[in-house]
Amino acid sequence: MEKKKPGFTLIEMIIALALIVTILGIAGSMLITGNKVFSDSDIRSTLQIEGQVIQEKISDAGMQAFSIESCKHGSLEIKDQKYNSNVILSKLVNINGELSEDGQWIDVSQISFKSSRNNSEYDGSTDTITNTETIPISYDKDLKKLSISSEIISEKVESIRIHPENINDENSNIDEANSIEFHIVLSKARAFSNVRYPIDFTIKFRNKGTT
């Protein structure tokens, strides 16, 4: 009588295949998770460096300024609008960008500071600065691009919001603020990663009122 040749039964092959698929799935999941953690860390480090540059440059521009030249929401100039005006009330959001009745933040596309140049002098007869410059900080939401004057600082900006220190004074406006808090969110997506990195800082206008 002829002996049966050794081999695998159909059930054994199905079980083996299921085990292989499970092992490969676990290994693939671990690999993806590891890559995501590494990618997130790398992106966060990049955004942190850009955030420090943004904070330093905006802070320097603000601390040298003696007035706010312009402040825009989209294409709308809002610098001189009273906080209790419908124009401002309709733009107030919370820190996450959601319209809110108790919101105290405003999304801006541009804010410009007027400051003195390094070689400026004071005119003794009028007590004014004789050599000034305007420093525009511009944000293009579609391109996620932030520029200061003509220099591109970042192309990873998701949003820019400001909180003027006098916003609770409903008869006041942005132009009269002595300091402004910034909330800027940077973001970058790559492969399985999508990292958001917020920057929060306040600038005080040390030279405001010297003109």
Side-chain angles (χ1 to χ4, degrees):
M1 184 175 179
E2 187 178 351
K3 292 183 178 181
K4 289 184 177 180
K5 294 181 180 180
F8 297 103
T9 66
L10 179 60
I11 294 176
E12 289 173 334
M13 292 180 65
I14 292 174
I15 293 173
L17 183 60
L19 288 173
I20 292 172
V21 170
T22 301
I23 292 171
L24 289 176
I26 294 173
S29 178
M30 292 176 63
L31 180 62
I32 291 173
T33 300
N35 285 340
K36 185 178 185 304
V37 170
F38 177 79
S39 180
D40 284 0
S41 177
D42 183 49
I43 293 173
R44 189 170 288 106
S45 177
T46 299
L47 296 181
Q48 183 177 13
I49 293 171
E50 285 200 18
Q52 290 174 345
V53 173
I54 291 170
Q55 179 175 344
E56 289 174 3
K57 287 186 175 292
I58 293 180
S59 296
D60 287 345
M63 286 189 294
Q64 295 173 19
F66 54 78
S67 69
I68 299 173
E69 183 75 4
S70 173
C71 185
K72 293 183 178 181
H73 176 93
S75 60
L76 179 65
E77 178 61 63
I78 59 174
K79 181 192 74 165
D80 297 316
Q81 295 286 341
K82 300 293 184 182
Y83 294 131
N84 62 357
S85 68
N86 289 331
V87 172
I88 295 295
L89 291 175
S90 64
K91 307 292 186 296
L92 293 178
V93 296
N94 59 26
I95 197 168
N96 296 317
E98 302 162 338
L99 288 172
S100 172
E101 291 183 359
D102 57 351
Q104 294 192 330
W105 293 83
I106 305 171
D107 285 299
V108 295
S109 58
Q110 184 184 80
I111 184 166
S112 300
F113 303 130
K114 179 165 281 190
S115 64
S116 57
R117 297 180 187 272
N118 292 333
N119 60 348
S120 297
E121 296 180 354
Y122 283 92
D123 182 342
S125 61
T126 60
D127 196 29
T128 59
I129 299 175
T130 60
N131 193 4
T132 64
E133 65 177 338
T134 298
I135 303 175
I137 299 167
S138 304
Y139 168 54
D140 187 321
K141 185 175 182 178
D142 293 332
L143 299 177
K144 301 179 68 174
K145 182 171 66 177
L146 174 67
S147 304
I148 298 181
S149 296
S150 58
E151 180 185 4
I152 298 174
I153 305 302
S154 176
E155 293 181 293
K156 303 179 183 69
V157 179
E158 182 178 298
S159 62
I160 298 180
R161 298 186 183 99
I162 63 169
H163 176 269
E165 52 83 24
N166 62 341
I167 198 165
N168 289 317
D169 182 357
E170 60 182 19
N171 291 314
S172 190
N173 56 41
I174 294 172
D175 186 43
E176 297 171 345
N178 291 315
S179 66
I180 292 179
E181 184 178 356
F182 281 78
H183 177 73
I184 300 175
V185 178
L186 304 180
S187 66
K188 183 178 180 180
R190 183 174 66 193
F192 300 102
S193 298
N194 189 4
V195 179
R196 300 173 77 250
Y197 185 82
I199 316 163
D200 294 281
F201 59 95
T202 300
I203 59 171
K204 295 184 178 181
F205 305 111
R206 297 184 303 185
N207 297 324
K208 195 166 185 183
T210 60
T211 54

